[in-house]
Amino acid sequence: MVEIHDLHVRFHGASREAVAGIDLTIRDGEVVGLVGESGSGKTVTAMTLSGLIERKKVTLSGEVRFDGRDILRLPRAELRAIQGRELGVVFQEPMTAMDPLMRIGPQVEEALAVHTQLTKEQRRARALEALRDVDLPAPEEIYRKYPHECSGGQLQRVMIAAAIVTDPHLLLLDEPTTALDVTVQAQILALLRRLNRERGISMLLISHNLQVVRRICSRVAVMQRGHIVEEGTPEQLFTAPQHPYTAELINAIPRRVRRG
């Protein structure tokens, strides 16, 4: 379980807080959406939760408890033991997130090399299993390829495989379908639903797209200028939004898409 309580994040020199005292809970096995326009603070929230935010550049206060441990106050060694093993991250631009000079296989295996005592052969077997788990055809071929030899949809699946290879408790997904066409986007969302259902992995899905979170999340928090202004099920937000900003986000969706 993740419990964020009264989280404040301010970048040094900034005129306002990027995150201004939010509270958010992600229960075991739950998929929670965090939505808002660019600059609302949702990615900063995810970066803080993952421990990837550069602490020397920000002032932090509050609590971010991951299975009872406060991420904000953990020693670096303990935080690194969580990152990549118990907590996986999937970024929105896999081509820029992945090393273009490394083959796919070693990049999927990286967390195993850091966090386990598996042999090289065992890591390779686990990586191939993860590539199969994300429905990549011919995983042995993908394993040997470089990132530029794969399509955008394939690379997003590779990123998910790398994130789940250690069987984490939580996945942080930062706009994982933004760069994909509609058909591939639907396939990735179906894959995430299956992983949640079959493995019980909790997920925090960061998105500006209410339609995306509606298809996969059981609960959605709406973020504006560092504040969570509304929270509820997707249907509650779509049928009876309580905050004007939520209503603006919904009204921005083309009517025909909104009904889909």
Side-chain angles (χ1 to χ4, degrees):
M1 176 183 287
V2 175
E3 297 171 289
I4 299 174
H5 177 64
D6 195 28
L7 176 63
H8 293 258
V9 183
R10 183 192 291 272
F11 287 90
H12 298 162
S15 60
R16 66 176 178 87
E17 292 180 318
V19 178
I22 69 167
D23 295 277
L24 184 66
T25 299
I26 308 167
R27 302 178 185 90
D28 291 343
E30 188 177 28
V31 181
V32 175
L34 187 58
V35 300
E37 61 191 350
S38 296
S40 61
K42 56 190 189 298
T43 295
V44 175
T45 299
M47 294 292 283
T48 305
L49 170 54
S50 67
L52 295 175
I53 198 163
E54 293 188 64
R55 295 186 184 183
K56 63 183 179 181
K57 295 184 177 181
V58 297
T59 300
L60 299 168
S61 66
E63 292 183 335
V64 180
R65 294 200 168 273
F66 180 72
D67 290 343
R69 296 158 293 181
D70 190 352
I71 293 289
L72 301 187
R73 291 165 180 82
L74 281 181
R76 280 294 179 186
E78 292 184 36
L79 181 59
R80 284 194 295 269
I82 292 173
Q83 294 167 333
R85 183 174 181 88
E86 300 177 50
L87 190 155
V89 181
V90 178
F91 298 101
Q92 63 175 303
E93 292 289 351
M95 185 59 79
T96 57
M98 300 187 72
D99 187 335
L101 302 179
M102 285 180 65
R103 296 183 191 270
I104 294 295
Q107 297 194 63
V108 175
E109 293 175 16
E110 187 172 358
L112 296 174
V114 172
H115 295 292
T116 75
Q117 300 299 317
L118 297 177
T119 65
K120 182 178 179 180
E121 292 75 17
Q122 289 171 327
R123 292 198 302 268
R124 183 179 187 278
R126 185 78 67 85
L128 288 171
E129 180 183 359
L131 292 173
R132 282 190 288 270
D133 285 345
V134 297
D135 301 327
L136 277 166
E140 292 84 0
E141 294 181 16
I142 296 291
Y143 182 95
R144 294 190 295 271
K145 286 184 176 182
Y146 289 94
H148 73 271
E149 298 178 297
C150 298
S151 68
Q154 287 176 327
L155 283 181
Q156 198 60 278
R157 291 174 187 271
V158 167
M159 287 284 292
I160 296 170
I164 68 169
V165 72
T166 57
D167 199 20
H169 301 166
L170 174 69
L171 278 186
L172 298 179
L173 303 138
D174 188 5
E175 301 278 10
T177 61
T178 295
L180 306 176
D181 64 42
V182 175
T183 301
V184 178
Q185 179 184 99
Q187 294 170 355
I188 295 297
L189 292 176
L191 167 62
L192 293 173
R193 282 197 300 267
R194 180 172 63 78
L195 290 172
N196 169 254
R197 183 178 65 250
E198 294 179 357
R199 295 193 177 204
I201 302 175
S202 304
M203 299 180 185
L204 178 64
L205 175 62
I206 308 296
S207 182
H208 67 279
N209 189 330
L210 277 170
Q211 283 294 110
V212 167
V213 299
R214 186 182 193 181
R215 297 175 65 176
I216 186 174
C217 298
S218 57
R219 189 160 48 86
V220 179
V222 180
M223 201 163 185
Q224 181 188 32
R225 293 181 64 83
H227 299 270
I228 291 180
V229 297
E230 186 167 358
E231 185 176 336
T233 68
E235 290 311 308
Q236 287 172 339
L237 298 186
F238 267 83
T239 59
Q242 299 300 302
H243 194 278
Y245 179 67
T246 308
E248 288 179 15
L249 292 178
I250 293 170
N251 289 335
I253 301 171
R255 186 170 299 274
R256 189 170 66 178
V257 175
R258 200 185 315 165
R259 290 172 175 170

